[in-house]
Amino acid sequence: MDYYGSQITKLIEELSSLPGIGAKSAQRLAFHVINMPEESVEKLANSLVEARRNVHYCKECFTLTDGDVCPICASSARNHRTIMVVETTRDLAAYEKTGKYEGVYHVLHGAISPMLGIGPGDIKLKELIKRLQGDVDEVIVATNNSLEGETTAMYISKLIKPTGIKVSRIASGVPVGGDLEYIDEVTLLRALEGRVEL
Amino acid sequence: MDYYGSQITKLIEELSSLPGIGAKSAQRLAFHVINMPEESVEKLANSLVEARRNVHYCKECFTLTDGDVCPICASSARNHRTIMVVETTRDLAAYEKTGKYEGVYHVLHGAISPMLGIGPGDIKLKELIKRLQGDVDEVIVATNNSLEGETTAMYISKLIKPTGIKVSRIASGVPVGGDLEYIDEVTLLRALEGRVEL
């Protein structure tokens, strides 16, 4: 299989072990890298190593960041009395892209899943409870609309309700632009149950 | 947009400038890298830089390699009297995967394209002609089945025929497993013209 010489083959192998990169893409990437200016390749290599070395959890919300506290937790423009609970940093990024949410976040790094043996102690739940000792008005649970996400939402709601802090769940229903014809029955029923008066 | 902290954002930006990697994949890759063992990230970074630094053209066939001559040109098991002409190293890799071709290659690094202003002098054609001064029995032209590839094939054929060396072109026709119903008319006509007796 080594018709390129060992260094290209090695690079292709390492690239194809990354998620979402198959053999063909790894090959295309490797050839692209070989034709890139040497300086850009060094910059990319450096970014990889630096990010791996310096990125860790924000000590407030547990998202990934290279500072002590993430830019969102550090911002005085955000409402620190509203906490949106998400499963992953990618979910946080998705809500940030809307540009409309002004509160802060709490990243659980997973969801409760008895199937996979992930219990409440395996995700950042006690860290969430600790944060509620400060001034918090509302906790918005934005875990995924899956079995695990729903289980986690129920668990959080039961945990927080006794404290008197408001707990809400993001709405479930037909996505914007979604064609009813192609939407599964469970979603259709959820949309019906969650109907709002016009 | 910087809700991650600058180092992750920088890494995502650099990754998304690579071919075939969009914003979503870049994000997924960046998070994967952050969770990889530090040692593996360093290995990957190193492979990128090393490949870029040490990979160059094989002085015989002009494929990319990190040696003086590529493993194929250096192999005594290959038939050095048959040269397959391809447009890119990726095309060479495609034929190598068949495991059945025993000759050597010549990589043109492009094809003649009057539209894009690429003439015979812009691809490794004179280097091919030079190789024909050695002992060569046959040149198999395996440029793409496109306007540029065909133009290049015609050009090569005219160039080589006077030397008395055999020049052939890979067959054009219906791909194996191809359903006639879904194949374009030009390919169907090619397949008809190129029919062989049974």
Side-chain angles (χ1 to χ4, degrees):
Chain A
M1 271 292 285
D2 187 13
Y3 28 83
Y4 294 136
S6 59
Q7 292 194 340
I8 311 183
T9 307
K10 197 175 133 213
L11 178 58
I12 294 176
E13 269 166 22
E14 288 190 34
L15 289 172
S16 59
S17 74
L18 296 173
I21 297 189
K24 284 262 171 193
S25 325
Q27 194 179 279
R28 190 168 43 157
L29 280 173
F31 286 124
H32 178 81
V33 165
I34 286 159
N35 289 309
M36 268 163 77
E38 188 162 338
E39 203 182 72
S40 312
V41 178
E42 279 163 8
K43 228 177 98 192
L44 172 62
N46 207 40
S47 297
L48 285 164
V49 173
E50 289 293 302
R52 173 61 188 80
R53 256 184 219 154
N54 302 329
V55 171
H56 46 246
Y57 293 153
C58 164
K59 65 178 189 178
E60 271 295 310
C61 75
F62 298 88
T63 189
L64 293 163
T65 185
D66 52 0
D68 203 22
V69 154
C70 76
I72 296 169
C73 286
S75 163
S76 59
R78 308 291 296 230
N79 170 6
H80 291 256
R81 300 172 70 100
T82 302
I83 300 178
M84 179 185 281
V85 179
V86 291
E87 293 182 23
T88 68
T89 297
R90 285 197 296 276
D91 298 338
L92 176 159
Y95 256 101
E96 276 304 285
K97 265 179 209 130
T98 68
K100 297 291 182 201
Y101 176 66
E102 293 177 337
V104 292
Y105 295 90
H106 187 86
V107 183
L108 294 174
H109 291 284
I112 296 169
S113 168
M115 282 266 287
L116 297 170
I118 301 171
D122 299 317
I123 58 178
K124 304 281 176 203
L125 264 177
K126 52 182 185 303
E127 290 83 352
L128 172 64
I129 302 306
K130 214 169 158 191
R131 288 179 75 183
L132 302 184
Q133 291 165 2
D135 281 337
V136 176
D137 294 333
E138 183 176 359
V139 172
I140 303 167
V141 185
T143 50
N144 285 333
N145 205 337
S146 61
L147 183 60
E148 293 78 16
E150 288 289 290
T151 307
T152 310
M154 290 305 294
Y155 189 91
I156 292 174
S157 142
K158 276 185 190 156
L159 216 58
I160 298 181
K161 269 198 178 144
T163 66
I165 297 170
K166 185 177 167 192
V167 195
S168 59
R169 177 87 175 109
I170 53 167
S172 177
V174 177
V176 177
D179 197 332
L180 285 197
E181 190 182 349
Y182 299 111
I183 290 177
D184 65 287
E185 297 98 70
V186 182
T187 302
L188 289 178
L189 280 176
R190 283 281 179 83
L192 181 62
E193 284 161 17
R195 66 192 178 277
V196 288
E197 236 177 285
L198 293 178
Chain B
M1 270 292 286
D2 188 12
Y3 29 83
Y4 294 137
S6 60
Q7 292 194 340
I8 312 184
T9 306
K10 198 174 131 213
L11 179 58
I12 294 176
E13 268 167 22
E14 289 191 35
L15 289 172
S16 60
S17 74
L18 296 173
I21 297 188
K24 285 262 171 194
S25 325
Q27 196 179 279
R28 189 167 44 156
L29 280 173
F31 286 124
H32 178 81
V33 165
I34 286 160
N35 288 309
M36 268 164 77
E38 187 161 339
E39 203 181 71
S40 311
V41 178
E42 278 163 9
K43 228 177 98 190
L44 172 62
N46 207 40
S47 296
L48 286 164
V49 173
E50 288 293 302
R52 173 60 189 82
R53 257 182 217 154
N54 303 329
V55 171
H56 46 245
Y57 292 153
C58 165
K59 67 178 189 179
E60 272 295 309
C61 75
F62 298 89
T63 189
L64 292 164
T65 185
D66 52 0
D68 203 21
V69 155
C70 76
I72 297 169
C73 287
S75 163
S76 60
R78 308 291 296 230
N79 170 6
H80 291 256
R81 300 172 72 98
T82 303
I83 300 177
M84 181 185 280
V85 180
V86 292
E87 293 182 23
T88 67
T89 297
R90 283 196 296 275
D91 298 338
L92 175 159
Y95 256 103
E96 276 305 286
K97 265 179 211 133
T98 67
K100 297 289 183 199
Y101 176 65
E102 293 177 336
V104 293
Y105 296 89
H106 187 86
V107 183
L108 294 173
H109 290 284
I112 297 169
S113 169
M115 282 264 288
L116 298 170
I118 301 171
D122 299 317
I123 57 178
K124 305 281 176 203
L125 265 176
K126 51 182 185 303
E127 289 83 353
L128 172 64
I129 303 306
K130 214 170 157 192
R131 288 179 75 183
L132 302 184
Q133 291 166 0
D135 281 337
V136 176
D137 294 333
E138 182 175 1
V139 172
I140 303 167
V141 185
T143 50
N144 287 333
N145 206 338
S146 62
L147 184 59
E148 293 78 16
E150 288 289 288
T151 308
T152 310
M154 290 305 295
Y155 189 91
I156 291 174
S157 141
K158 276 184 189 156
L159 216 59
I160 297 181
K161 270 200 177 142
T163 66
I165 295 168
K166 185 177 167 191
V167 195
S168 59
R169 177 88 174 105
I170 52 166
S172 177
V174 177
V176 177
D179 195 333
L180 287 196
E181 190 183 348
Y182 299 110
I183 291 177
D184 65 289
E185 297 99 70
V186 182
T187 301
L188 289 178
L189 280 176
R190 283 280 180 84
L192 181 62
E193 285 161 17
R195 66 190 179 279
V196 288
E197 236 178 284
L198 293 178

